[in-house]
Amino acid sequence: MKHNFLNIARTTLPERHVEERVRDYEEYATRMDDESVQQQAARCMDCGTPFCHVGDLIGQETIGCPIHNYIPEWNKLVTKADWMGAYHRLMETNNFPEFTGRVCPAPCEGSCTLGISEDPVAIKSIERTIIDRAFEEGWVKPRPVHRRTGMTVAIIGSGPAGLAAADQLNQLGHSVTIIEKADEAGGLLMYGIPNMKLDKDVVRRRVRLLEQEGIVIRTNVEVGTDVTVESLRNEYDAVILATGAQKQRTLGIDGDDAVGVEMAMDYLTASMHERKGAPLASDYDAKDKNVIVIGGGDTGADCVATAIRQGAKSVVQFGKHPSKGLLRAPEKPWPLQPDTLTTDYAYAESLAVYEKDPRTYLIRSNQIVTKEGRVTGIETERMTKVVNPDGQATFFVEEDSMETYPADLILVAIGFERPEHELRKIGVEKTKDFHTATDNVFVAGDAKRGQSLIVWAIREGREVAEVVDAYLDTCKTVLKTSS
């Protein structure tokens, strides 16, 4: 039926009841039934110019899907109940839709044409349903590689960029080895994103498929300690650095080295190790503690949700910026992400457990209050944000706004530094595109562009695979000519 977007309201994946899910670490979102998903897919207007899959940048803002998913096409297939057709269309552009359907912030929905005047199509929910259905039906199977080129590639890092590059190069016939410093492959998919958002068996399932297709994965091997880039260059025809942006930003204020001030990613990693049976160090245990999370992004929200499950006495999250509005802001016009106020899963849980939203806005952290080297609180001031006519923001401290929050555990979630110095530590300098200053060494993902979205990581993995494939083809031609 035409004009379904006028008659059908937007719905997304159902969520488990808050009081139930805060008692475990299982995924909070569940499957939508097929009929509901078909209705949601029918809201797609099948635009003549679908901005949802443009996949470009305006300044630093992502518009549409960076991996160019054929969204209107698989929406139409879903409305016809052609689930297998939708699955195959989805896999043409996306190596890992079971990941993006769970953890991608969905820039495609921000650029949905319907979103100009109505709620956008629930693209992310439809995507997850397609791939989950495909796994349930047994359509997702190992794709054996029947012909090998004789060329070898080492990929350092097994996050989404490394895995995507490995998948592409392996299917092209090159022999690929992934080198991962952790005890399991997946990078931040395994240790940086809580189980509540991405079940680790979902990650392991995909990793097993890649191994069954011929990719070799070496875990517990750290480049720079256990092996050098130079030795890998000698052993493999090409090396790809997909190590991510690993150095977390610190507060840089007095007392930030006190016991009880922890980096968010270290905290989330420790929690994941506990899920696997390792003891949880007391410094990473929020039970009965007043917890302060500094940083208003997704990682901060994940810290809030984890602290709630650990039994924190209280949780407060500091944000540098003002509260977002309920409507799209003038400075965020379509097709940019609307950046509106939402109640993330963690905040809904805080409302249920503590009867308050943990978010506090326009907060500047001045210093950590300590006693005998251990954190007891944090001194803050409130700020006012003023945007100048040229668009530049300036923050002013409000008078008489000093306040000290009690704190037993402070989690710092203010992002990652640019990766250049991490690359230099292992003897590599970036140049342009995906190349480095070293002949057969390439770089992709967050290690190249800095902290970014999972869809950009997958795109980078796919693109660096094209560059490396062309390089290997040239190498092979030279070898044939010289022999």
Side-chain angles (χ1 to χ4, degrees):
M1 186 174 65
K2 292 182 178 180
H3 310 308
N4 280 307
F5 57 89
L6 297 175
N7 306 313
I8 300 173
R10 170 186 163 100
T11 59
T12 55
L13 297 175
E15 298 181 3
R16 298 165 57 212
H17 199 275
V18 173
E19 279 75 10
E20 171 196 341
R21 74 192 197 216
V22 294
R23 295 196 292 267
D24 62 44
Y25 288 81
E26 303 305 312
E27 288 187 350
Y28 72 91
T30 63
R31 274 286 303 277
M32 190 184 291
D33 65 85
D34 291 352
E35 182 180 356
S36 297
V37 174
Q38 287 178 272
Q39 287 185 338
Q40 290 305 303
R43 296 185 70 239
C44 178
M45 298 191 296
D46 195 15
C47 308
T49 304
F51 279 80
C52 57
H53 69 202
V54 167
D56 207 343
L57 290 171
I58 296 179
Q60 298 300 312
E61 300 273 0
T62 298
I63 60 168
C65 178
I67 50 178
H68 309 299
N69 277 331
Y70 302 130
I71 295 162
E73 296 181 30
W74 43 256
N75 277 338
K76 182 176 288 187
L77 291 166
V78 168
T79 63
K80 296 177 179 179
D82 185 357
W83 294 96
M84 181 179 283
Y87 159 64
H88 286 299
R89 205 71 177 116
L90 177 58
M91 292 303 297
E92 285 188 36
T93 55
N94 190 349
N95 301 71
F96 314 121
E98 68 271 33
F99 303 157
T100 55
R102 286 168 165 81
V103 303
C104 179
C108 54
E109 295 186 10
S111 301
C112 173
T113 306
L114 181 58
I116 297 174
S117 57
E118 304 286 342
D119 290 330
V121 176
I123 300 168
K124 180 177 173 179
S125 297
I126 300 167
E127 177 184 32
R128 174 174 167 177
T129 304
I130 293 170
I131 188 61
D132 284 356
R133 173 79 179 263
F135 273 107
E136 291 167 6
E137 297 288 348
W139 301 332
V140 188
K141 298 177 180 178
R143 301 160 297 163
V145 179
H146 299 293
R147 177 182 169 276
R148 290 293 175 183
T149 64
M151 308 301 283
T152 60
V153 182
I155 299 177
I156 304 170
S158 65
L163 293 179
D167 189 21
Q168 296 294 107
L169 288 165
N170 182 62
Q171 289 300 312
L172 289 168
H174 306 304
S175 297
V176 179
T177 298
I178 294 175
I179 297 170
E180 170 56 52
K181 68 178 181 179
D183 61 344
E184 282 196 85
L188 291 185
L189 297 170
M190 179 60 67
Y191 286 114
I193 299 173
N195 211 72
M196 299 86 77
K197 288 169 70 173
L198 175 61
D199 190 291
K200 302 315 160 191
D201 284 341
V202 172
V203 181
R204 295 183 182 111
R205 179 178 63 188
R206 179 59 69 175
V207 169
R208 283 196 301 271
L209 276 168
L210 296 175
E211 289 179 311
Q212 289 166 2
E213 292 169 353
I215 295 172
V216 176
I217 300 177
R218 296 168 56 191
T219 55
N220 293 307
V221 178
E222 184 168 2
V223 175
T225 302
D226 303 308
V227 67
T228 65
V229 172
E230 189 61 29
S231 66
L232 292 174
R233 289 187 63 219
N234 293 329
E235 184 177 355
Y236 296 89
D237 296 306
V239 177
I240 300 174
L241 304 176
T243 54
Q246 301 181 44
K247 187 172 178 58
Q248 300 172 76
R249 291 195 184 103
T250 60
L251 291 174
I253 59 176
D254 289 346
D256 66 357
D257 58 348
V259 176
V261 179
E262 307 294 345
M263 295 292 102
M265 206 53 63
D266 298 340
Y267 170 71
L268 294 174
T269 298
S271 175
M272 180 57 206
H273 278 297
E274 184 192 23
R275 305 274 70 71
K276 296 171 62 176
L280 182 66
S282 59
D283 290 344
Y284 296 121
D285 190 353
K287 185 174 176 58
D288 298 327
K289 293 179 180 177
N290 293 305
V291 178
I292 302 290
V293 179
I294 300 178
D298 288 343
T299 300
D302 292 337
C303 289
V304 170
T306 302
I308 289 171
R309 283 162 176 76
Q310 290 181 343
K313 181 179 179 181
S314 67
V315 184
V316 177
Q317 183 180 14
F318 293 167
K320 175 183 177 181
H321 295 280
S323 175
K324 299 173 183 177
L326 296 176
L327 301 176
R328 184 187 285 272
E331 64 270 18
K332 297 285 186 178
W334 179 88
L336 301 181
Q337 285 280 68
D339 206 23
T340 53
L341 182 67
T342 58
T343 303
D344 189 276
Y345 81 109
Y347 307 139
E349 292 167 0
S350 179
L351 286 166
V353 174
Y354 305 115
E355 299 183 344
K356 60 181 291 189
D357 191 313
R359 292 172 285 188
T360 304
Y361 303 98
L362 288 167
I363 295 293
R364 184 175 84 169
S365 302
N366 287 342
Q367 65 175 351
I368 307 294
V369 182
T370 64
K371 183 177 181 180
E372 298 178 353
R374 178 173 290 276
V375 62
T376 61
I378 182 167
E379 183 185 285
T380 68
E381 289 179 297
R382 292 197 171 274
M383 298 184 294
T384 299
K385 180 180 180 181
V386 177
V387 179
N388 302 326
D390 60 1
Q392 297 297 311
T394 305
F395 292 87
F396 299 95
V397 175
E398 295 182 5
E399 292 185 11
D400 302 321
S401 64
M402 189 174 293
E403 183 176 0
T404 299
Y405 287 78
D408 306 297
L409 175 61
I410 294 176
L411 302 172
V412 182
I414 55 177
F416 295 82
E417 294 183 10
R418 296 290 298 180
E420 279 78 2
H421 67 286
E422 292 294 315
L423 294 177
R424 293 191 191 103
K425 280 172 58 177
I426 57 176
V428 175
E429 291 279 350
K430 290 196 302 181
T431 55
K432 61 179 181 178
D433 300 324
F434 295 95
H435 296 268
T436 71
T438 307
D439 176 46
N440 62 339
V441 179
F442 303 82
V443 62
D446 287 3
K448 168 177 162 283
R449 63 184 296 125
Q451 183 182 4
S452 190
L453 308 180
I454 181 174
V455 276
W456 278 111
I458 293 173
R459 172 168 163 174
E460 293 251 323
R462 293 171 68 93
E463 290 184 343
V464 75
E466 291 183 15
V467 172
V468 171
D469 179 54
Y471 168 82
L472 294 175
D473 188 56
T474 301
C475 290
K476 203 166 186 180
T477 300
V478 171
L479 286 173
K480 284 182 178 178
T481 303
S482 60
S483 61

